[in-house]
Every structure is written in structure tokens, then in C-alpha cells.
């Protein structure tokens, strides 16, 4: 696939597809993996009755199914996926399996306690280890590399943020083994970036191949007796049933795991905003380029700018690199054409070449994007109401690769009535406020995106921390 190409709309969801699934291959670098077969399987053909119906075949849905099937193999579990498993963010992301919880400890503590916030972070750290355990134990080949995460500071403002970030972790009782400050030499040893003043490193992150993970999980599910119905769109979720065009799936429990697509379901338009994150990937780089770039342990990487960028060294020696900056689309609209924004893709290529000059004239072979779910308070949530049987998890803001596993484990414990430590974590059963109606939503979100982009440019030029950006982060609870 070449950058900028647009998939053909052939299904009822206007997404690339044909009977062999080859259209899905163009969705991202990860989809374009030769051994992955995207042929949709087992579409629902009529009404069914199950114990648990899960709407959405991404990590949230599949991890929930996995832990339910493990806890009680007699449960009849069905996953209902509108396109194919891994169609959404779970197949397209940056592959950072990180312990970053999208809400800050300060925000988590404000709604619970200092101890609650610490437990939340420790649960996230454990989650990266848990995913590794499952992947290795179940034999899911997804290029998992527990190399940690290096973030470099490339101007004085970013360096000040790096130091206060590490000091912040110390205040919360997290030591060097959680996150440590790197000198310029130490940071450059890990990532051969330009203008490095220092950085931070945490071991609580791994790089992985997102689509191999999500497709591997689906295969595992089928082996565990979970029915995975692809090309099965749910039109409405009500207590006791998930409605589809070919019949209702009745179930004691219905789990909503639709993340960035949630606003398309009736009654949920203002629940979660779909924001686009876009990515590019290079051809495999040469050994001498890698000698200069580093990332010898396949550390994931970024710098300390406000508008987040993220990258990884793939198992086949490419750079996969992404960032925010794409616009929010009026009315929380989601369209395949929004996955590809030539302006943002060009910006990402420029940012990567500036960050890592050794990339030089390497060809960029792939460009794609996808939507992630942002709740109004930037705080993910999950819930299970025993009375109605309705459950949900989501709003991961763009840090869902690991958080979805914690969500799946916790939902399984709640549904099976397991009194584990997980069911008392602070993110449970809290409700994010609704987003504002349009046009406020459109104006507000795009104004903040522009503000952060401007703050990054000003900081790069002057080295002085942007007061406006800091004020906005505070407003967002950071
Ligand atoms: C470009 C990009 C890069 C990212 N990088 C990272 C990263 O490096 N690290 C990280 O932690 N997070 C990252 N994220 C976020 C992360 O990928 C998500 O938080 C995570 O995958 C969410 O998983 P999910 O299962 O909740 O949602 P999804 O994977 O989006 O799955 C939802 C599924 O529901 C299906 N669906 C929707 N509506 C219906 C319906 N009505 N009926 C049936 N099915 C339906 C969709 O087709 C989709 O397959 C990134 C996201 C994007 C887009």
C-alpha cells in the first residue's frame, strides 16, 4: 500500500472489504501483514440466545471474552463485530503496550484517595506484565518486546517538564524503577534524536504488533468456544438484548466495547468523542541507520511536546510513527476518509525526519489513521449494572492497548461475581459527563488542538514553557 491511498467503499459501512477480506489489508501497516487473513467469518444469520453478548471485536471485547471463558468455560459468550476483528483502533494503533493511565493520579485521587490513585497505577504496571504472561502462555506471536519507553526533551521547556514529571512520580511514592530521568548522553544512547537535552525512561512499556495481537486473541477465543460473529452490526443495545438487522441476540449481560464508534449508537452521541490519531511507517531501515537511531531494545519513543507523538521500531526494522493533530469532525462523525489526512501525514513525516535525521531519504510506505475514544473528563470508565445486565468499558483517550486488558479482567470479575482487588479500583462505576452539544464541541476541541500545536512551536522557538498550554492541562485535570 502506498501512502495516501484510499480504500474502496463496498460494504454497508463504507469500509474496504470484499469476500476475501483483502480490502481490509489497506487499512494500516499492521493490516498489510502477509500471514493475516482478514476474510470475515461467522456472520450472525438470525436470532440467538447467549449468556454474555459483547458488542465490538477490539481488545476490550476480546479481553473480556478471554477472562470470562477462562473463569467459567460453561458461559455462552458471543462477540458481535460490525466489520472484522481488529477493524478499529485495536488493529491500527502505535503498538505501545504501556502502563500509562489516561487520567493523572491527581485526578484519580480527587475522585477516590491517594491510596486509590496509587493502586490504579500499580494495577496498570501489573497489566503490562499480565499481557506478556498471556501472550507467552497462549502462544500469541505479536512481536512483543518489553523494551520500555524513552521520551526525550528537545528544548528547555520540554526538559523542565521532564524533570517535573519525574519529581511528580517521586511525590506519589514511585521510585527510579518506575520512571527515571536520563542525561542527554543516556537519552541519546537509547534514541539518536536531534537536539536532545535529556529525557525520561520507564520500563513499564512494550512494543507489539497490534493486529497480530487482536487477531491472535480472536483465534484464541474460537478455540475457547467463544463465537466471534464478524460483519454483524449491532443497531441498538437495550437491557437483555443487542439488536441486529438479522435478529436480536438475547443475553443476561450485554457489554458495550465500541470505543471511538460509541457515538454512532442510539442515545450515546455525546458519550465519547471520536478523535483521530494518524500514523506513517517507513520501509525497513538499514543496519547503519539503526546504529545511529538506537532503540536496540525496541523501546517505544516520543518527546515531551504537548501534542503527543509516538513511535516504535517494528520487528521487521521499520519506524512506525504517529501523532495527534488531526481535526475533530463535526457531530462526532466517523468516516473512512478521515483516516487519511495528507496535511497531517506530511507533518508526521517532517516531524519524524526532524526528530531522527538518520531516517534521511528512507521511503515512507504506509500512512493510515483511526479513531480513539475521548470522554469529556479524559478519564476512562467501566461499569456493570447487575440489575439491567448492561456493562461497558472505554474512553481510553489513546492509551488503551494495556488498559483494555485491565478493563476485560475487571469486567469478567464483576460479571462472574469474583471479589478481586480489581473490582475496587477507582475507575469503576464512575460516569464521565456528556460532551457539549455542537457547535461548542467542534469549536472547543479544535481550538484546544490548535492551541497545543502552537504552544509546541513557540516552545521549540523560545525554550520557554507555554503558560497557555499549562493552564489548559490544569483545566483538563493534569
Ligand atoms: C492510530 C492510533 C494509535 C494508537 N496508539 C496507541 C498506542 O500506541 N498505545 C495505546 O495504548 N493505545 C493506542 N491507541 C488507542 C488504542 O488502540 C485503543 O484505546 C484500543 O485499541 C481500544 O480498543 P477497543 O476494543 O475498546 O476499541 P476498538 O479497537 O476501536 O474496537 C471497537 C470495535 O467495535 C466495533 N463496532 C463499533 N460499532 C459497532 C456496532 N454497532 N456493532 C458491532 N461492532 C461495532 C468496531 O468495528 C471495532 O472493531 C491508538 C489508537 C489509534 C487510532
Amino acid at each position: 500500500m502506498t501512502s495516501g491511498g484510499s480504500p474502496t467503499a463496498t460494504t454497508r459501512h463504507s469500509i474496504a472489504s470484499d469476500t476475501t477480506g483483502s480490502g481490509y489489508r489497506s487499512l494500516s501497516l499492521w493490516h498489510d501483514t502477509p500471514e493475516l487473513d482478514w476474510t470475515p467469518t461467522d456472520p450472525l444469520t438470525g436470532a440467538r440466545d447467549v449468556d454474555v453478548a459483547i458488542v465490538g471485536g477490539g481488545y476490550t471485547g476480546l479481553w473480556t471474552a478471554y477472562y470470562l471463558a477462562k473463569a467459567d468455560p460453561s458461559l455462552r459468550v458471543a462477540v458481535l463485530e460490525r466489520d472484522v476483528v481488529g477493524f478499529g483502533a485495536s488493529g491500527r494503533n502505535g503498538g505501545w503496550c504501556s502502563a500509562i493511565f489516561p487520567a493523572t493520579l491527581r485526578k484519580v485521587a480527587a475522585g477516590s484517595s491517594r491510596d486509590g490513585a496509587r493502586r490504579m497505577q500499580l494495577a496498570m504496571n501489573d497489566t503490562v506484565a499480565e499481557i506478556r504472561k498471556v501472550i507467552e502462555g497462549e502462544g500469541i506471536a505479536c512481536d512483543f518486546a518489553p523494551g520500555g519507553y524513552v521520551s526525550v526533551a528537545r528544548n528547555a521547556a520540554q526538559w523542565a517538564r521532564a524533570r517535573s514529571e519525574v519529581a511528580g512520580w517521586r511525590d506519589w511514592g514511585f521510585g527510579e524503577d518506575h520512571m527515571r530521568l536520563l542525561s542527554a548522553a543516556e537519552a541519546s544512547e537509547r534514541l539518536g534524536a536531534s537536539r536532545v537535552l535529556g529525557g525520561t525512561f520507564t520500563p513499564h512499556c512494550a512494543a507489539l504488533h497490534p493486529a497480530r495481537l487482536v487477531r491472535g486473541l480472536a483465534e484464541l477465543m474460537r478455540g475457547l468456544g467463544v463465537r466471534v460473529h464478524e460483519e454483524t452490526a449491532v443497531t441498538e443495545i437495550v437491557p437483555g438484548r443487542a439488536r441486529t438487522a438479522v435478529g436480536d441476540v438475547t443475553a443476561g449481560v450485554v457489554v458495550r466495547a465500541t470505543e471511538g464508534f460509541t457515538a454512532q449508537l442510539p442515545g450515546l452521541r455525546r458519550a465519547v468523542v471520536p478523535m483521530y490519531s494518524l500514523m506513517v511507517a517507513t520501509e525497513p531501515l538499514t543496519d547503519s541507520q539503526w546504529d545511529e537511531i538506537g532503540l536496540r531494545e525496541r523501546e517505544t519513543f516520543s518527546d515531551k511536546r504537548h501534542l503527543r507523538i509516538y513511535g516504535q521500531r517494528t520487528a521487521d526494522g521499520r519506524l512506525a510513527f504517529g501523532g495527534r493533530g488531526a481535526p475533530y469532525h463535526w457531530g462526532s462523525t466517523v468516516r473512512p476518509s478521515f483516516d487519511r489526512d495528507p496535511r497531517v501525514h506530511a507533518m508526521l513525516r517532517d516531524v519524524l525526519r526532524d526528530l531522527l535525521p538518520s531516517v534521511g531519504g528512507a521511503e515512507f510506505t504506509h500512512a493510515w489513521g483511526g479513531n480513539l475514544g475521548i470522554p469529556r473528563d479524559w478519564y476512562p470508565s467501566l461499569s456493570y449494572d447487575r440489575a439491567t445486565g448492561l456493562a461497558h468499558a472505554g474512553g481510553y483517550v489513546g492509551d488503551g492497548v494495556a488498559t483494555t486488558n485491565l478493563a476485560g479482567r475487571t469486567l469478567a470479575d464483576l460479571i462472574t461475581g469474583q471479589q478481586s482487588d480489581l473490582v475496587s479500583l477507582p475507575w469503576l462505576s464512575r460516569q464521565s459527563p456528556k460532551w457539549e452539544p455542537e457547535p461548542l464541541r467542534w469549536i472547543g476541541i479544535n481550538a484546544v488542538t490548535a492551541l497545543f500545536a502552537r504552544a509546541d512551536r513557540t516552545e521549540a522557538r523560545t525554550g520557554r514553557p507555554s503558560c497557555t498550554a499549562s493552564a489548559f492541562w490544569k483545566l483538563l485535570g493534569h
Side-chain angles (χ1 to χ4, degrees):
M1 189 192 76
T2 50
S3 50
S6 193
T8 333
T10 54
T11 69
R12 64 178 172 264
H13 306 296
S14 313
I15 300 304
S17 175
D18 55 29
T19 48
T20 62
S22 65
Y24 290 115
R25 203 167 282 291
S26 67
L27 285 178
S28 74
L29 165 73
W30 317 113
H31 287 78
D32 190 16
T33 298
E35 91 272 7
L36 293 181
D37 179 0
W38 296 97
T39 312
T41 60
D42 202 11
L44 193 72
T45 51
R48 275 201 69 187
D49 181 61
V50 294
D51 296 311
V52 183
I54 298 173
V55 183
Y59 299 141
T60 301
L62 294 169
W63 282 123
T64 306
Y66 174 74
Y67 289 103
L68 281 172
K70 285 287 181 180
D72 182 354
S74 72
L75 276 178
R76 294 166 307 145
V77 180
V79 176
L80 312 170
E81 165 54 47
R82 192 181 61 178
D83 286 273
V84 286
V85 160
F87 169 80
S90 300
R92 311 175 185 209
N93 61 72
W96 286 37
C97 179
S98 89
I100 300 172
F101 188 67
T104 58
L105 294 199
R106 196 157 72 86
K107 190 185 279 186
V108 177
S112 57
S113 63
R114 182 178 165 86
D115 180 55
R118 275 184 49 82
R119 285 204 311 122
M120 194 71 233
Q121 185 56 54
L122 291 170
M124 286 300 303
N125 293 0
D126 289 347
T127 297
V128 180
E130 165 71 12
I131 291 173
R132 179 181 189 175
K133 196 178 86 189
V134 177
I135 284 169
E136 290 176 357
E138 304 284 3
I140 300 177
C142 63
D143 306 331
F144 188 92
Y149 151 39
V150 59
S151 176
V152 290
R154 300 169 65 232
N155 59 51
Q158 290 190 9
W159 182 224
R161 266 200 298 285
R163 282 173 297 172
S164 80
E165 189 180 348
V166 172
W169 285 114
R170 298 295 174 272
D171 288 345
W172 283 94
F174 289 91
E176 292 264 303
D177 56 344
H178 181 78
M179 181 177 279
R180 67 175 190 273
L181 204 59
L182 301 177
S183 67
E186 288 168 326
S188 301
E189 172 60 23
R190 288 192 181 271
L191 181 71
S194 58
R195 305 188 294 281
V196 171
L197 303 180
T200 58
F201 178 77
T202 173
H204 298 292
C205 189
L208 53 75
H209 185 306
R212 282 193 172 130
L213 173 58
V214 77
R215 299 298 288 183
L217 281 172
E219 207 176 308
L220 186 60
M221 281 323 95
R222 294 180 186 110
L224 291 172
V226 172
R227 288 284 290 275
V228 181
H229 298 291
E230 296 184 306
E231 289 201 328
T232 300
V234 170
T235 52
E236 189 176 16
I237 297 172
V238 293
R241 62 191 66 221
R243 297 192 198 284
T244 80
V246 294
D248 288 1
V249 178
T250 48
V253 178
V254 184
V255 180
R256 169 168 51 85
T258 48
E259 190 59 346
F261 305 90
T262 301
Q264 299 176 329
L265 285 166
L268 293 165
R269 180 154 291 276
R270 287 164 56 197
V272 182
V273 147
M275 278 298 282
Y276 279 79
S277 195
L278 268 52
M279 295 196 67
V280 293
T282 66
E283 63 183 331
L285 301 181
T286 63
D287 288 347
S288 66
Q289 281 173 304
W290 281 118
D291 284 346
E292 288 169 21
I293 294 169
L295 300 177
R296 286 167 195 90
E297 294 168 43
R298 288 191 55 216
E299 300 92 325
T300 55
F301 67 93
S302 72
D303 71 8
K304 297 281 180 205
R305 74 187 63 205
H306 296 288
L307 216 50
R308 198 202 277 189
I309 55 170
Y310 50 91
Q312 71 149 289
R313 175 179 183 165
T314 65
D316 64 349
R318 301 165 188 267
L319 277 165
F321 182 72
R324 305 266 171 87
Y328 159 78
H329 300 278
W330 180 276
S332 296
T333 316
V334 171
R335 279 203 201 122
S337 58
F338 299 160
D339 296 347
R340 291 157 206 257
D341 182 325
R343 183 189 59 86
V344 179
H345 280 140
M347 182 269 288
L348 287 171
R349 288 188 280 267
D350 289 348
V351 169
L352 185 60
R353 286 197 198 97
D354 176 60
L355 178 74
L356 300 174
S358 317
V359 168
E363 191 193 339
F364 284 83
T365 55
H366 295 73
W368 71 98
N371 63 50
L372 38 93
I374 307 208
R376 178 64 179 80
D377 55 2
W378 284 42
Y379 193 153
S381 61
L382 85 175
S383 66
Y384 171 51
D385 180 349
R386 197 167 283 279
T388 61
L390 293 180
H392 96 281
Y396 310 108
V397 182
D399 290 309
V401 174
T403 320
T404 48
N405 172 279
L406 184 59
R409 270 188 290 152
T410 310
L411 282 176
D413 283 353
L414 288 167
I415 292 165
T416 57
Q418 190 70 33
Q419 284 308 314
S420 69
D421 287 348
L422 301 183
V423 302
S424 63
L425 286 172
W427 67 328
L428 247 82
S429 299
R430 41 173 309 289
Q431 203 169 3
S432 298
K434 280 185 182 173
W435 280 93
E436 288 76 4
E438 300 293 16
L440 289 180
R441 197 155 79 231
W442 185 86
I443 294 169
I445 296 170
N446 287 327
V448 172
T449 304
L451 179 145
F452 283 150
R454 198 170 329 113
D456 285 327
R457 286 195 298 274
T458 309
E459 288 186 352
R461 206 175 57 248
T462 65
R464 281 196 301 279
S466 157
C467 300
T468 334
S470 310
F472 261 93
W473 281 123
K474 282 219 177 77
L475 213 64
L476 290 166
H478 282 243

